Amino acid sequence: MLDEYGLAIAMIVALLVGIFSGYPVAFLLGGLGILFAFIGDIPLPFLGTVASRIFGGVIENWLLIAIPLFVFMGLMLERSGVAKNLLLTLQRLFGNVRGGLAVSVALLGVVMAASTGIIGASVVMLGLLALPVMLKQGYKPEMAYGVVAASGTLGILIPPSIMLVLMGSIMNISVGDLFKAALVPGLMLGGLYTLYLLSAAYFRPDWAPLASEGGEAHLSEGQPPLILALLRDLLGPLVLIVAVLGSIMAGIATPTEAAAIGAAGSMLLALFLRQLNMSTLRHVCRSTSKTSAMILFVVIGATCFSVVFKRLGGADMIEEMITGTGLGPYGLLLLLMALIFLLGFFLEWIEISFVILPLLLPVVAGLEFEGLSGSALMVWFAILVAINLQTSFLTPPFGYALFYLKGITRGDVGIGTIYRSIIPFVLLQLAGLALCIMFPSIVLWLPGLN
């Protein structure tokens, strides 16, 4: 196998070496694709196939227009102050519950995930708003940093999710079905976080003191009555969530059209809160352009890499290695989940989605699970991968949520503390993944209501 697939193996090794070197991933993927096309003596006209795949499969893909629109929606909501107001109100709601501030952060993560889906913005926002208050109140750092990182990453799973939009394009399955399928598992993970926080606070009271025990660490002075504050701060995001997700699930709008609704709705909400001005609009448009361009360049580079990798026999090599293990369907599924989990330590979700996922699809399509076949099997597998990839934001050494947290702490905490803080939440995500494997109805129940 080493002789037959030597160049394919060399491509993987070169990719890993390049990633550890810190070279931009988009250029690394595209450059390796072109380099190995010449090393492998691939006919020059074949590179025309790469170009046609990029222009025909990526640039002309209307579904990908949803990405900048969803990014715009998330950034506009982040700049409008919706999250800050909602955190103040949730902290008041759970103020008399031990661990209530941590639960407020987890719930805010769920709400903002369903209305933004921008991981970097969510983690930084939650960190800046909640971390100083939690630490001043006496929360154990491992709990405070962990809940901020884990809650901020829910946006990659809970729809509208950029990752699910890209997965739908890669796997050629309905993004609407993926949004429906991801909703219950995403809410389940939020529930698992909340259950863990309440249990930890109950059994270890010193980890999460009440505000009265931890000193003056209140967020909610000068606020209106709680009911009015809840209506004021929760109504806007909920209306936006219903408008975006409801229009998709009801079949009224495509994901791209729903993304446009969300972008317009976020501007109206910012206008209502008197936060819409030229400075805000300029910042959001610039950040949206940077994020969208980064994603598009990675997609183009990954397309080039994967086309050449398959031409060199990489896809056949992966399929032979996996099916040659002699494992049954569930054994192979667990092997694939373990592989993706380990790759998440070193690769971003975009690279895994565009380089690794297409190689695994033929293997998964050939597996037989009782009661699962066709599009249902693909939707189930996509959500399992999405839950798995969420851990890539939390696992060192390249977990981006950890870098965001380290950045906003400005050296006040060691990276070891941040690493320890995410261990319980990674285990909770793996528990959620196991539940979705054992009970596929968790994933497929909502799409099956059509």
XYZ file of all heavy atoms in Angstrom, residues 26 59 78 123 133 147 197-198 209 216 253 272 282 321 324 402 413 415:
137
model
N -5.505 28.122 3.531
C -6.095 28.217 2.189
C -5.027 28.071 1.112
O -5.184 27.311 0.148
C -6.827 29.544 2.030
N -17.980 28.688 -6.884
C -18.323 30.089 -7.162
C -19.787 30.228 -7.572
O -20.454 31.208 -7.211
C -17.406 30.665 -8.257
C -15.934 30.518 -7.853
C -17.731 32.126 -8.515
C -15.571 31.221 -6.572
N -24.314 41.062 17.478
C -23.271 41.202 18.490
C -22.971 42.670 18.757
O -22.767 43.081 19.906
C -22.017 40.452 18.015
C -20.894 40.393 19.041
C -19.889 41.494 18.849
O -19.712 41.946 17.706
O -19.277 41.922 19.856
N -17.752 33.730 21.692
C -16.825 33.443 22.792
C -16.265 34.739 23.372
O -16.220 34.923 24.598
C -15.681 32.527 22.312
C -14.624 32.366 23.392
C -16.226 31.152 21.931
N -17.307 39.205 35.961
C -18.322 39.123 37.007
C -18.265 37.774 37.710
O -18.352 37.692 38.946
C -19.725 39.369 36.418
C -20.782 39.329 37.501
C -19.765 40.698 35.696
N -17.371 27.187 30.851
C -18.739 27.433 30.393
C -18.762 28.501 29.310
O -19.565 28.433 28.369
C -19.655 27.818 31.583
C -19.306 29.186 32.155
C -21.113 27.810 31.150
N -23.654 22.175 35.273
C -23.359 23.362 36.065
C -24.134 23.371 37.379
O -23.577 23.683 38.437
C -23.676 24.619 35.253
C -22.793 24.857 34.021
C -23.369 25.968 33.157
C -21.368 25.187 34.446
N -25.414 23.018 37.302
C -26.223 22.974 38.529
C -25.724 21.879 39.462
O -25.672 22.076 40.689
C -27.694 22.755 38.165
C -28.383 23.922 37.443
C -29.793 23.536 37.024
C -28.429 25.161 38.346
N -20.196 30.370 44.170
C -20.880 31.054 45.272
C -22.029 31.920 44.766
O -22.041 32.361 43.613
C -19.777 31.931 45.882
C -18.495 31.416 45.323
C -18.828 30.822 43.996
N -19.708 42.052 45.957
C -20.519 42.878 45.070
C -20.178 42.553 43.620
O -19.201 43.034 43.069
C -20.267 44.365 45.360
C -20.697 44.786 46.760
C -22.182 44.608 46.982
O -22.957 44.847 46.040
O -22.571 44.215 48.088
N -39.206 29.553 2.816
C -38.018 30.172 2.238
C -36.886 29.155 2.168
O -36.818 28.222 2.978
C -37.585 31.379 3.070
N -33.936 49.449 16.134
C -34.866 49.578 17.259
C -34.116 49.891 18.551
O -34.595 50.663 19.394
C -35.671 48.285 17.407
C -36.606 48.280 18.581
C -37.803 48.979 18.557
C -36.281 47.576 19.738
C -38.660 48.979 19.641
C -37.123 47.563 20.825
C -38.323 48.270 20.784
N -20.256 49.975 8.964
C -18.933 49.843 8.339
C -18.153 48.692 8.980
O -17.544 47.873 8.282
C -18.161 51.148 8.482
C -16.838 51.177 7.713
C -16.089 52.479 7.913
N -16.906 53.623 7.527
C -17.374 54.530 8.394
N -17.118 54.409 9.684
N -18.099 55.536 7.974
N -8.455 1.201 3.693
C -7.976 1.158 5.078
C -9.122 0.992 6.061
O -9.019 0.250 7.039
C -7.189 2.430 5.394
C -5.841 2.539 4.698
S -5.025 4.122 5.011
C -4.843 4.074 6.791
N -11.111 -2.385 5.390
C -10.253 -3.540 5.644
C -10.118 -3.910 7.108
O -9.489 -4.925 7.434
N -10.287 28.309 22.688
C -9.269 28.458 23.726
C -8.373 29.653 23.427
O -7.989 30.399 24.335
C -8.424 27.179 23.814
C -9.202 25.863 23.925
C -8.231 24.692 24.047
C -10.133 25.887 25.123
N -4.427 34.498 33.163
C -4.617 33.080 33.499
C -3.743 32.243 32.575
O -3.524 32.607 31.407
C -6.107 32.682 33.348
C -6.559 32.815 31.904
C -6.350 31.276 33.855
N -2.550 29.009 30.263
C -3.250 28.192 29.271
C -3.620 26.837 29.866
O -4.616 26.230 29.460
C -2.365 28.014 28.013
C -3.181 27.430 26.847
C -1.153 27.150 28.312
C -4.258 28.328 26.335
